[in-house]
Amino acid sequence: MPRKKIGLALSGGGARGFAHIGVLKVLAEHNIPIDFIAGTSAGAFAGGALASGMTSADMEAMASEIRWRNVCRPSFSPKALFSNVPMGRLMRRHFPVHRFEDLTIPFAAVACDPIAGELFVLKDSGDLVTAIQASCAVPAVFTPVRVNDRLLADGGIMMPLPVDVVREMGADVVIAVDILSCGASFRRSTYTAFGMLLSSALTIIREVTNKHDRAADLTIIPQIAHIRPDRLDKNQECLELGERAAREAIGEVKKLINDLQPGQLQE
């Protein structure tokens, strides 16, 4: 009997996305097979890195380099404050491959056309890095990214946790990693316009995310409510909290998989 196909859905969440790396590290240590990956925004960044062939150690090394100065620059467009062109350069330096056709695991990046209100799932063919840049382009913060003659932005506006996308790719069971629904306990320390914008967006997106959590077979939720989504300097703490959440959930992950295909994984 062929084994069930396992999909991974990774949510958006700005700098909190480093927690995804901690989760991926634990899944790799326990040889959890991943057949499909879908990610939104920060989840697209982490998911694309894994799908391109990077190990969790590779991703952790890349994460240690990430600062605002090497993922964004002031925008020359009236559409947003910043451009994430430097983020694209960083991915091209680190990712082993740069096209969907060359990925080791099928992957989808979720973006949207914010003017038309249309969701775009970028997968199968084309430039991987550009797709991830589009998925990470938070409206008003980062300029939208042109993909196939459309200006696309962060898919978190419409689908912050792409459970349905990874099911449509062929996953029989979906493990979700949600770095939004733990909430936000940092509001009193948010004084900048940038921080206020991200905090407001998180509040709205979190409500949408809760619905998608219920659609997953299992959801891992790192406890990172105290970390603002603009705090790239908290990369190591986020990674460790993601790792902790995954270690606490790994028994449930194995049970879920063994219930579907007895004997595949050992405790």
Side-chain angles (χ1 to χ4, degrees), residues 8 18-32 34 46 50 54-60 177 236 239-240 242-244 246-247 250:
L8 193 61
F18 293 114
H20 287 313
I21 300 173
V23 174
L24 297 177
K25 176 181 179 180
V26 175
L27 295 180
E29 286 176 357
H30 290 267
N31 299 311
I32 305 299
I34 303 298
L50 179 64
M54 293 183 75
T55 65
S56 56
D58 294 334
M59 286 183 266
E60 191 167 354
V177 184
Q236 190 60 37
L239 193 151
E240 290 170 1
E243 185 176 342
R244 179 187 300 174
R247 293 198 187 285
I250 197 64

Side-chain angles (χ1 to χ4, degrees), residues 41 44 48 57 66 69-70 74 96-97 117 134 157 170 196 204 225 256:
S41 197
I66 295 177
R69 65 178 178 273
N70 59 14
V97 299
I157 301 170
M196 288 294 291
I204 297 167
L256 174 66

Side-chain angles (χ1 to χ4, degrees), residues 61-145:
M62 178 175 66
S64 69
E65 295 182 19
I66 295 177
R67 298 291 185 273
W68 282 115
R69 65 178 178 273
N70 59 14
V71 295
C72 70
R73 60 167 171 74
S75 172
F76 301 107
S77 166
K79 295 182 175 69
L81 298 172
F82 302 102
S83 163
N84 65 12
V85 166
M87 178 192 298
R89 296 194 191 107
L90 183 139
M91 286 188 281
R92 292 188 193 281
R93 286 200 307 273
H94 287 275
F95 284 19
V97 299
H98 301 148
R99 294 192 63 81
F100 281 97
E101 297 93 328
D102 300 323
L103 296 177
T104 59
I105 303 172
F107 166 73
V110 178
C112 77
D113 181 333
I115 304 302
E118 296 177 9
L119 189 71
F120 278 79
V121 177
L122 305 170
K123 60 187 181 72
D124 298 332
S125 64
D127 189 78
L128 172 70
V129 171
T130 302
I132 295 172
Q133 284 179 266
S135 185
C136 291
V138 180
V141 178
F142 293 111
T143 52
V145 176

